Amino acid sequence: MSQINPLTRRAALQRLGDGFGGLALATMLSEATASSRQTARTPNSLPKAKAVIQLYMHGGPSHVDLLDPKPMLNKFHDTPPPGEVADDEKRTKNLMGSPFQFKKCGSSGLEFSEIQPWVSQHADEIAVVRSMFTEHRNHEQAIWMAQTGLTVAGRPTLGSWITYGLGSENQNLPGFVALPDPKGQSVDGVRNWSSGWLPPQYQGTVFREQGSPVLHLEPSKPRTQALTNGRLRLLKQLNQMHMAERAGELELEARINTFEMAGRMQLAATDALDLSQETQETQKLYGLDNPTTKSYGTRCLMARRLVERGVRFVSLFMAGQPWDTHSKNNTQTKACCDRTDLPIGGLLTDLKRRGLLDSTLILWGGEFGRTPGAQQSNKQIEFGRDHHPYGFSVWMAGGGIKGGQAYGATDDFGYRAIEKRTQTANLHATILHLLGLDHEILTYHHNGRDERLTDLYDTKILKELIA
């Protein structure tokens, strides 16, 4: 009599075929799975914000054209810069004033460029940090600093740290969602939402703007509920057996968690991202009726619907690095605002009227700013601006932020941060504080030491920004 070989997990999965997302639905009723570690956790202190929407502007927006008016730059336009503000790498020549007018906005009188007519309507909810500086003038290293706190690759991003610290309020959706541009990947790609050496379950989950929001949620062929339930029970048993033999393998846990999350998302993600449920007025508010603003506006509206349902951190990205205006600075900067300003203004308006702005922190900014001097070549008709790490601007709104203020300052030409100089670690510590997390307590043991987001820096919370 021939021996009957036991059915292995691999063989069973090969027979089960596609539809892993559906197979995972059984875990919706299980409290003992590893994914339960992403349930909402108690913050270290009373939080002012529950969620963050990060509007990341790849390439480095020009602070002197958008958020940091410099009359002296215009006064001395096309003249050599003073020695104390000359570019130390000799890449730029004469000073270049901004062609855009600045105006005082709101009751606070906070100044914004004329090419931000919609965001500027929320001046009294916005705090602009004009004194940011960073440690590298190359895109990748500066992105790593902005996203992970150091100029080295492979560390966890801000969204991963927050999800690790707070967990998720909705077990049917990821705690951290990335919304990339359907036109192409941003510079540094998936590392923009990587969990680094944190457990993989804390990395960002990509949701798509077009088509099915998450790939492979549904089986390719319909099946009966009885068949589905049987597959679910079998897969659950196989996963438990497989994990029992491989305790402590975090990537395996994360993979199983991903399948389980996919099952739960069958019932939640499609509904959460069904923008047809929104009124025409709301869709127009985000610019979905305009080809220029439709793509970014769609992702802004998706972000609102996600935080509304308990997602902790949502990051929006643009293809490539459109703010990298080495040539045609004025034209390209305005084009970026044309794509994003109305949708962001709509997001702020919508969050406020729904009572969500108080609990949702909005973070806008890139990896650095642009030079006050012109980057030029004989072939250029319109000059550009080069990378500028020594002084630039970001802004925050909602989520416990005291709006209507400019924090810190650069010099008269926008070259160096000179007043209330703000390093990235201070910004990160303040964001964590607003979420009720202590940046010194939020650690993860790695390579023999307790690492943190604000590692290596003598960090302070920017208390003047907090309402």
Side-chain angles (χ1 to χ4, degrees), residues 187-385:
V187 170
D188 214 37
V190 298
R191 283 194 290 207
N192 285 289
W193 53 86
S194 171
S195 60
W197 30 254
L198 284 176
Q201 70 201 72
Y202 300 113
Q203 68 188 1
T205 299
V206 174
F207 278 16
R208 303 191 308 160
E209 172 192 325
Q210 300 173 357
S212 176
V214 184
L215 294 175
H216 311 306
L217 280 186
E218 299 290 344
S220 58
K221 297 179 180 179
R223 57 175 65 103
T224 66
Q225 189 62 47
L227 180 59
T228 297
N229 290 342
R231 289 172 173 238
L232 295 175
R233 289 192 297 270
L234 175 58
L235 182 62
K236 182 177 180 181
Q237 293 170 3
L238 292 171
N239 280 340
Q240 289 173 343
M241 293 166 56
H242 197 62
M243 281 299 304
E245 296 172 357
R246 297 162 178 82
E249 291 192 17
L250 295 180
E251 292 198 3
L252 176 59
E253 286 188 73
R255 187 172 180 83
I256 292 173
N257 292 345
T258 300
F259 292 150
E260 294 169 347
M261 176 64 74
R264 295 192 297 273
M265 283 197 296
Q266 282 189 5
L267 305 179
T270 302
D271 176 71
L273 301 181
D274 181 6
L275 304 190
S276 66
Q277 298 177 14
E278 301 289 339
T279 66
Q280 289 298 311
E281 183 273 335
T282 298
Q283 294 185 39
K284 184 175 182 179
L285 179 68
Y286 285 85
L288 271 59
D289 61 334
N290 185 325
T292 301
T293 54
K294 181 178 180 180
S295 178
Y296 202 80
T298 296
R299 279 172 279 143
C300 283
L301 182 50
M302 289 168 69
R304 189 222 82 203
R305 290 178 65 88
L306 288 168
V307 299
E308 195 172 34
R309 288 161 171 78
V311 174
R312 289 287 188 191
F313 197 95
V314 183
S315 288
L316 280 70
F317 300 101
M318 302 177 74
Q321 45 192 31
W323 297 91
D324 192 29
T325 55
H326 289 284
S327 64
K328 298 183 179 180
N329 173 79
N330 302 337
T331 298
Q332 291 189 39
T333 299
K334 184 178 184 303
C336 286
C337 287
D338 288 344
R339 291 168 58 188
T340 62
D341 180 64
L342 185 148
I344 295 172
L347 173 64
L348 293 169
T349 296
D350 203 19
L351 288 170
K352 185 176 181 180
R353 70 185 184 182
R354 291 172 182 269
L356 291 170
L357 188 58
D358 289 343
S359 61
T360 305
L361 178 65
I362 309 298
L363 171 64
W364 182 100
E367 59 267 35
F368 39 55
R370 313 304 299 183
T371 52
Q375 185 177 16
Q376 54 189 279
S377 77
N378 294 332
K379 296 180 180 180
Q380 287 178 276
I381 298 174
E382 183 185 327
F383 295 151
R385 299 190 190 274

Side-chain angles (χ1 to χ4, degrees), residues 116-131:
Q116 300 175 97
W118 300 98
V119 168
S120 62
Q121 292 180 13
H122 297 274
D124 293 336
E125 282 97 44
I126 292 173
V128 178
V129 182
R130 290 179 176 167
S131 54

Side-chain angles (χ1 to χ4, degrees), residues 26-273:
T27 60
M28 293 176 64
L29 302 178
S30 173
E31 295 293 332
T33 63
S35 63
S36 66
R37 290 184 296 177
Q38 283 207 47
T39 55
R41 290 189 280 273
T42 303
N44 304 124
S45 60
L46 185 65
K48 291 180 177 289
K50 295 170 60 179
V52 178
I53 296 176
Q54 180 191 43
L55 308 171
Y56 197 83
M57 302 294 154
H58 270 90
S62 174
H63 56 298
V64 296
D65 290 304
L66 297 170
L67 299 164
D68 194 3
K70 294 298 175 186
M72 291 288 283
L73 194 59
N74 281 40
K75 180 177 180 180
F76 292 96
H77 172 74
D78 203 26
T79 65
E84 65 271 20
V85 299
D87 190 312
D88 60 355
E89 294 195 12
K90 309 300 180 185
R91 295 187 178 188
T92 58
K93 304 301 180 183
N94 290 347
L95 296 171
M96 186 168 79
S98 177
F100 309 119
Q101 298 296 313
F102 281 78
K103 61 180 181 179
K104 297 181 183 296
C105 302
S107 59
S108 62
L110 185 61
E111 291 182 277
F112 285 86
S113 169
E114 64 181 327
I115 57 176
Q116 300 175 97
W118 300 98
V119 168
S120 62
Q121 292 180 13
H122 297 274
D124 293 336
E125 282 97 44
I126 292 173
V128 178
V129 182
R130 290 179 176 167
S131 54
M132 291 295 302
F133 66 94
T134 190
E135 297 183 2
H136 213 290
R137 66 186 304 155
N138 288 347
H139 287 290
E140 286 79 5
Q141 288 87 348
I143 290 170
W144 300 337
M145 171 64 80
Q147 296 283 51
T148 76
L150 291 178
T151 59
V152 295
R155 286 172 54 81
T157 54
L158 174 62
S160 293
W161 276 111
I162 289 171
T163 310
Y164 166 66
L166 293 177
S168 175
E169 286 196 314
N170 187 336
Q171 284 300 288
N172 299 330
L173 290 169
F176 177 11
V177 171
L179 300 176
D181 193 325
K183 294 181 180 178
Q185 190 66 275
S186 301
V187 170
D188 214 37
V190 298
R191 283 194 290 207
N192 285 289
W193 53 86
S194 171
S195 60
W197 30 254
L198 284 176
Q201 70 201 72
Y202 300 113
Q203 68 188 1
T205 299
V206 174
F207 278 16
R208 303 191 308 160
E209 172 192 325
Q210 300 173 357
S212 176
V214 184
L215 294 175
H216 311 306
L217 280 186
E218 299 290 344
S220 58
K221 297 179 180 179
R223 57 175 65 103
T224 66
Q225 189 62 47
L227 180 59
T228 297
N229 290 342
R231 289 172 173 238
L232 295 175
R233 289 192 297 270
L234 175 58
L235 182 62
K236 182 177 180 181
Q237 293 170 3
L238 292 171
N239 280 340
Q240 289 173 343
M241 293 166 56
H242 197 62
M243 281 299 304
E245 296 172 357
R246 297 162 178 82
E249 291 192 17
L250 295 180
E251 292 198 3
L252 176 59
E253 286 188 73
R255 187 172 180 83
I256 292 173
N257 292 345
T258 300
F259 292 150
E260 294 169 347
M261 176 64 74
R264 295 192 297 273
M265 283 197 296
Q266 282 189 5
L267 305 179
T270 302
D271 176 71
L273 301 181

